[in-house]
Amino acid sequence: MEIIKMHGLGNDFVFIDHFQGTPAEFPDYPELARRLCHRQFGVGGDGLIVVLPSAKADARMRILNSDGSEPEMCGNGIRCFARYIYDQGYVTKNPLQVETLAGILTLQLIITGDQVTGVRVDMGEPILKSEQVPVLIQGDPVVGAKLDVDGQEFEFTAVSMGNPHCVIFVEDYETLDFERIGPAIEKHPLFPRKTNVEFIIVNSPRELTMKVWERGAGPTLACGTGACASVVAAVLNGRTERKVTVHLPGGDLLIEWGEDNRVYMTGPAAYVFKGVLLEDALS
């Protein structure tokens, strides 16, 4: 089985291409994700992306976290996905459309010469109704709500970009016990489908710094949907303008919450390597 490794700002993914059809023996994708994404015994990655045909769009993306769970969407992953299917010749038009569990998304490829140098994604409208995020708090939107975690109280804003996010504004990261608080919030009873957790420092009305604990993956170098949710939360809290550069450990994303209520994300997608998966990796 051939595999491709790609990353978006260090958020890395193992790709399996089943666009031309899945094998006769249908793969157990969750188990495959757990094996391949293991950084010692597998290829290593934050998630597994499966390239599939679509009856509704140009292609369909399935993504599975390193723990085998399947999120609705991944902003960094879909940029890599768009570049891959374009480079493979599966789709030649620009913009193109990709089917995900969060719906069909439109992506504009930024092409310099004959090479894709970036991707602008129409991430759709943010979901702010508590029951749709979902978060077990009354009132819409959930802005500045109280959250008690291991005796500490936080204020958070709940946003869904097709997947749930809990955005918390902090002054610095020095006093944040990230490795303890991150997973505790991810699995907090207020979030029935668990949640991604973003800790945000506001640098200026046009800049944010973000640290993320991803649902099902833990700490990652970047999270595209998290960056989008954080800008929406920052605007709702009156902290930034609607077009913001988000600094992540792996690099920067440009996020714009347009006047049309849609969120646009622009960032890179890069290859790491191509290889062949040996039978030993599956045993």
Side-chain angles (χ1 to χ4, degrees):
M1 184 187 297
E2 287 193 349
I3 58 170
I4 299 285
K5 181 80 177 286
M6 298 186 74
H7 78 88
L9 300 180
N11 196 188
D12 56 343
F13 309 96
V14 181
F15 271 68
I16 292 180
D17 189 342
H18 287 163
F19 189 82
Q20 308 288 1
T22 55
E25 186 175 334
F26 192 81
D28 181 346
Y29 288 130
E31 179 60 22
L32 201 54
R34 287 187 287 268
R35 289 178 180 272
L36 293 184
C37 294
H38 197 290
R39 296 195 182 273
Q40 285 73 44
F41 297 107
V43 176
D46 293 321
L48 169 69
I49 289 179
V50 187
V51 183
L52 297 164
S54 171
K56 305 175 183 178
D58 297 305
R60 178 163 71 99
M61 180 181 84
R62 281 190 68 182
I63 177 163
L64 296 101
N65 292 320
S66 57
D67 68 353
S69 61
E70 185 166 7
E72 298 84 353
M73 235 295 286
C74 174
N76 292 313
I78 202 170
R79 292 199 316 276
C80 294
F81 186 94
R83 179 176 181 182
Y84 177 80
I85 62 172
Y86 181 84
D87 288 347
Q88 289 294 114
Y90 295 154
V91 55
T92 56
K93 66 181 183 179
N94 188 25
L96 55 87
Q97 292 188 315
V98 176
E99 179 186 353
T100 74
L101 287 180
I104 295 174
L105 300 187
T106 300
L107 300 95
Q108 177 77 42
L109 301 172
I110 301 167
I111 301 174
T112 304
D114 60 353
Q115 185 170 342
V116 178
T117 55
V119 183
R120 185 176 190 259
V121 188
D122 178 351
M123 300 287 285
E125 297 185 355
I127 297 167
L128 301 175
K129 289 186 178 295
S130 57
E131 63 187 32
Q132 294 177 13
V133 172
V135 56
L136 302 180
I137 288 183
Q138 297 296 318
D140 302 316
V142 178
V143 176
K146 304 296 184 184
L147 178 66
D148 184 78
V149 183
D150 294 342
Q152 284 185 264
E153 188 175 78
F154 296 90
E155 287 190 359
F156 76 97
T157 297
V159 179
S160 172
M161 293 303 306
N163 56 350
H165 294 269
C166 171
V167 182
I168 297 172
F169 296 97
V170 297
E171 294 299 319
D172 58 62
Y173 296 132
E174 299 299 321
T175 58
L176 176 68
D177 191 349
F178 177 72
E179 297 286 342
R180 181 177 64 87
I181 295 297
I185 296 177
E186 176 196 2
K187 301 167 185 174
H188 195 281
L190 277 180
F191 303 99
R193 282 168 39 201
K194 301 184 181 179
T195 188
N196 300 280
V197 190
E198 286 79 35
F199 298 97
I200 304 299
I201 295 174
V202 179
N203 305 107
S204 76
R206 295 184 180 181
E207 287 185 87
L208 299 176
T209 297
M210 181 177 113
K211 194 168 186 176
V212 60
W213 183 277
E214 281 203 54
R215 180 184 60 165
T220 59
L221 295 178
C223 176
T225 56
C228 294
S230 296
V231 171
V232 171
V235 173
L236 290 175
N237 283 273
R239 293 173 179 261
T240 66
E241 299 175 6
R242 299 179 74 95
K243 189 172 184 178
V244 178
T245 296
V246 181
H247 305 295
L248 306 104
D252 295 346
L253 289 173
L254 179 63
I255 309 295
E256 181 178 4
W257 187 10
E259 296 300 332
D260 58 0
N261 196 37
R262 303 183 75 83
V263 181
Y264 299 91
M265 172 189 64
T266 303
Y271 290 97
V272 180
F273 63 78
K274 177 180 180 180
V276 178
L277 183 65
L278 303 177
E279 287 297 323
D280 285 357
L282 301 176
S283 60

